[in-house]
Amino acid sequence: MSWENKHIQPFTFYCQKILPLVYDESLSYYETLCKIQKVLNEVIGNQNNLSNAFTELLTYINKQLETYTKE
């Protein structure tokens, strides 16, 4: 059984800070989109780290099973 580790590419686009068009506490759609991009990239990073950890675990288990079967 083989595990294929596919990394997810970060979601990128240029996000420039701008002065608010309205002077209240609400966020514009653009500001909301920028915040979603930031959180989505954090989730992608965590997912990639999780898949790396799973690959390391799978390698360790296979080595232990190989050692066990040789003894």
Side-chain angles (χ1 to χ4, degrees), residues 10 35 64:
K35 288 187 180 228
Q64 294 300 318

Side-chain angles (χ1 to χ4, degrees), residues 32-63:
T32 304
L33 185 61
C34 290
K35 288 187 180 228
I36 290 172
Q37 176 203 15
K38 181 182 176 233
V39 171
L40 181 61
N41 285 336
E42 288 175 6
V43 169
I44 289 171
N46 289 337
Q47 180 65 33
N48 288 338
N49 291 339
L50 182 63
S51 63
N52 288 339
F54 181 75
T55 303
E56 291 173 10
L57 177 65
L58 189 61
T59 304
Y60 173 75
I61 290 173
N62 286 335
K63 283 183 183 179

Side-chain angles (χ1 to χ4, degrees), residues 14-29:
Y14 184 67
C15 217
Q16 181 180 1
K17 300 281 186 187
I18 56 172
L19 291 174
L21 298 176
V22 233
Y23 298 102
D24 62 1
E25 296 297 317
S26 64
L27 294 175
S28 68
Y29 289 123

